[in-house]
Amino acid sequence: MAAEFIKLYPENPNPRQVNRVVEVLRQGGIVIYPTDTIYGMGCDIYNTKAIERICLIKGVKPQKQNFSFICYDLSGISEYTRVLSTPVFKLMKKALPGPFTFILEANNKVPKLLHSKKKTVGIRVPDNNIPRILVKELGQPIVTTSIRDEDDVLEYSTDPELIYEKYRDLVDVVIDGGYGNNVASTVVDCTGGEIEVLREGLGDIDEVL
C-alpha cells in the first residue's frame, strides 16, 4: 500500500495531522519528515522491526548504521547518554535547537534498543517544529537517519513530492513540510577530552563555542 502524503506547516502543524503521524509511529511505521537540514527517515526508538526496515531500505546492517535520536529538547537525553560534563551541556544548550548532531557516550539502554555494539549515540534537536512536535506527542525520541542520494544529485532530497515518488512503496508516511535543505547537519564529537567536528555541515560550531 502506498504511503500517506501529509502536508504540515512548520509554523503551525495541524494537530489532527500530527496525531495521525504519531499513530503511524506508534504502530511501528516509518515516516519521512523535514528537519532544519535535509529530510530524514525515522521511527519509534523502541520498535526493533521498524529499525530493521529502515536498515533494509538503506541497505545497511543495523550494527553498522549510524543512527541518531531526535529529541524535543535536552531534558530527556540523560535517559540515553552517560552524564554530560558541564561544558558539553552548556554547548548543546547554546547550539540547540539547530543543525548539529552531537555524538555522546551512550548508556547501557541504547545498545539494547539498536542491537548495536556502538558505545555512542547521536543527539539531534532540529530547529524545525515538525519533527520536534512529533517527538513531543509520541512521548519519546525518534530514531533518525538522513535520506541519501545514490547519485549525488540532490534534487529529490529537497523536494517532498520527488521524495514521495521515490519512497511511496517503502515507507508509511511522507510529510510535505516544504522544500528541505541539501546540506546535512554538522557532526560534533563530544566523547573525547576536546570537542571535535567530525563533519562540517550547515551548523557553524565556532558561532556557539
Side-chain angles (χ1 to χ4, degrees), residues 13 35 48-49 62 85 104 113 116 161 179 182 198 202 207:
T35 70
T48 309
K49 285 187 177 174
S85 70
L104 306 172
L113 292 175
S116 167
E161 291 191 6
Y179 275 83
N182 61 4
L198 300 183
L202 196 63
E207 289 183 1

Side-chain angles (χ1 to χ4, degrees), residues 24 56 69:
V24 169
L56 205 60
F69 293 176

